[in-house]
């Protein structure tokens, strides 16, 4: 199943700040990047999130972009992850994988149900303009590439 060029499924999840975050609300101020992550224990997820944390302030203040990392872990574990890696954004708890399942899908692992890593860029109309689902857990789209993608009117900045 691919979501590119279709409507992004709306969702509301609890944030590590304690509030609820709804995708459709974030789209009112600008595009939104949704990152589906396997869990608080995933080092590849932590590395990918760090690349988005480095470009977050630039994207947020200059383009109105929100970053919504959807992680298939409980909120307390995500608070620890956010604080340990000093991310500039909040993480969203999807412990049952319900939102992950609507995007990249889920799989049963030794950690229980985990999301399959995926990166999505959603424009202000709610359309998925970019989708990358990891074929391998190390296969990730990084923050700087997405920053140029958004600034290049949702076109590959390198003409690929």
């Amino acid at each position: 199943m691919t979501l590119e060029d279709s409507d992004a499924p709306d969702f509301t999840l609890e944030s590590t700040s304690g509030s609820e975050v709804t995708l459709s609300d974030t789209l009112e101020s600008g595009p939104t990047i949704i990152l589906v992550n396997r869990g608080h224990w995933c080092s590849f997820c932590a590395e990918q999130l760090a690349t988005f944390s480095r470009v977050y302030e630039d994207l947020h203040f200059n383009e109105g972009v929100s970053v919504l990392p959807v992680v298939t872990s409980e909120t307390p574990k995500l608070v620890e992850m956010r604080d340990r890696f000093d991310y500039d954004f909040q993480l969203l708890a999807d412990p049952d994988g319900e939102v992950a399942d609507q995007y990249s899908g889920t799989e049963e692992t030794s950690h229980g149900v985990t999301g399959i890593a995926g990166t999505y860029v959603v424009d202000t109309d709610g359309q998925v303009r970019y989708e990358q689902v990891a074929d391998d857990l190390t296969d990730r789209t990084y923050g700087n590439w997405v920053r140029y993608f958004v600034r290049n009117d949702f076109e590959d900045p390198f003409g690929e």
Side-chain angles (χ1 to χ4, degrees):
M1 174 178 106
T2 181
L3 291 175
E4 198 163 326
D5 299 322
S6 64
D7 290 334
D10 201 13
F11 60 84
T12 300
L13 289 173
E14 183 181 351
S15 160
T16 48
S17 70
S19 63
E20 289 193 335
V21 175
T22 301
L23 171 61
S24 54
D25 291 346
T26 68
L27 296 174
E28 292 174 9
S29 63
T32 295
I33 299 162
I34 299 168
L35 303 167
V36 177
N37 278 266
R38 298 166 44 81
H40 69 279
W41 42 266
C42 176
S43 62
F44 298 106
C45 300
E47 178 186 357
Q48 180 192 32
L49 291 174
T51 73
F52 279 90
S53 187
R54 285 193 287 275
V55 300
Y56 173 71
E57 283 191 31
D58 178 30
L59 281 171
H60 185 70
F61 290 108
N62 293 310
E63 316 292 334
V65 172
S66 296
V67 175
L68 303 183
V70 174
V71 188
T72 50
S73 291
E74 300 284 343
T75 304
K77 293 287 186 188
L78 297 184
V79 169
E80 290 174 23
M81 182 183 191
R82 178 203 64 200
D83 294 348
R84 180 178 43 218
F85 295 107
D86 198 27
Y87 295 137
D88 286 340
F89 43 68
Q90 301 299 317
L91 306 177
L92 304 182
D94 184 26
D96 299 323
E98 291 176 19
V99 173
D101 209 38
Q102 295 177 59
Y103 282 84
S104 53
T106 56
E107 59 188 352
E108 189 67 38
T109 70
S110 61
H111 295 279
V113 172
T114 64
I116 296 170
T119 303
Y120 299 85
V121 178
V122 182
D123 69 16
T124 54
D125 294 327
Q127 292 285 299
V128 176
R129 301 299 297 269
Y130 175 79
E131 173 181 43
Q132 187 258 339
V133 177
D135 293 328
D136 173 274
L137 59 89
T138 64
D139 181 23
R140 304 297 173 101
T141 300
Y142 292 120
N144 207 36
W145 187 91
V146 171
R147 173 170 48 180
Y148 290 117
F149 179 77
V150 168
R151 291 210 170 122
N152 198 37
D153 295 322
F154 305 108
E155 296 290 330
D156 187 327
F158 303 105
E160 301 284 318

